[in-house]
Amino acid sequence: MTASDTLEVLLGDGTWFPVCGVTALTPGRGVAALLPDGRQVALFLDRSGRPYAVSNRDPFSGAYVLSRGLTGTYEGRIFVASPLLKQRFELATGRCLDDEEVAVQAYEVRVRARVGDEAPAGDEALVTATT
């Protein structure tokens, strides 16, 4: 990955939406982004640089806070823990590790190299870094 690479999320209509430059993400920390239909996603990079995207809405509290959660691993699965009630959601699937009947939407993501004079993704999407 390079500084000009773009993180894209696959939307329900089958199109890829450029969300942000890869440099907007720090491994282990979340970033919230707004999709064209108004939904929020929480974006993460793991320590190896693999990107993930899940719904930013915590289904237990209803708050849009998963991007502010702590990341970790459990039995080889990378998760984000809600900052409110601490339930853990597997980043690859969205499944709750603490309640098998609950899940958040997981999105397919890819990193695309910026080519030539393309506009950076930041011009096309609202991205908010969380600390």
Side-chain angles (χ1 to χ4, degrees):
M1 286 189 268
T2 68
S4 62
D5 290 348
T6 301
L7 185 68
E8 296 181 335
V9 173
L10 184 62
L11 301 178
D13 65 3
T15 61
W16 288 96
F17 180 70
V19 178
C20 64
V22 173
T23 57
L25 301 175
T26 301
R29 302 189 83 178
V31 172
L34 188 62
L35 297 179
D37 64 2
R39 288 179 293 154
Q40 292 184 27
V41 293
L43 305 165
F44 298 91
L45 280 182
D46 67 15
R47 289 189 176 119
S48 72
R50 180 179 173 191
Y52 297 91
V54 295
S55 172
N56 195 32
R57 185 178 179 275
D58 176 347
F60 291 94
S61 69
Y64 291 85
V65 295
L66 290 182
S67 64
R68 296 178 181 266
L70 299 175
T71 60
T73 58
Y74 175 73
E75 297 180 351
R77 297 180 288 181
I78 299 169
F79 68 83
V80 60
S82 171
L84 298 178
L85 300 174
K86 311 304 184 227
Q87 283 87 2
R88 299 167 299 161
F89 299 92
E90 186 178 359
L91 291 178
T93 65
R95 282 182 263 176
C96 181
L97 300 176
D98 304 299
D99 184 340
E100 61 187 43
E101 295 184 16
V102 178
V104 295
Q105 183 173 357
Y107 295 85
E108 190 173 339
V109 293
R110 72 179 182 187
V111 176
R112 188 170 64 93
R114 185 172 158 203
V115 180
D117 294 331
E118 289 181 11
D123 293 345
E124 301 174 26
L126 174 64
V127 176
T128 306
T130 59
T131 56

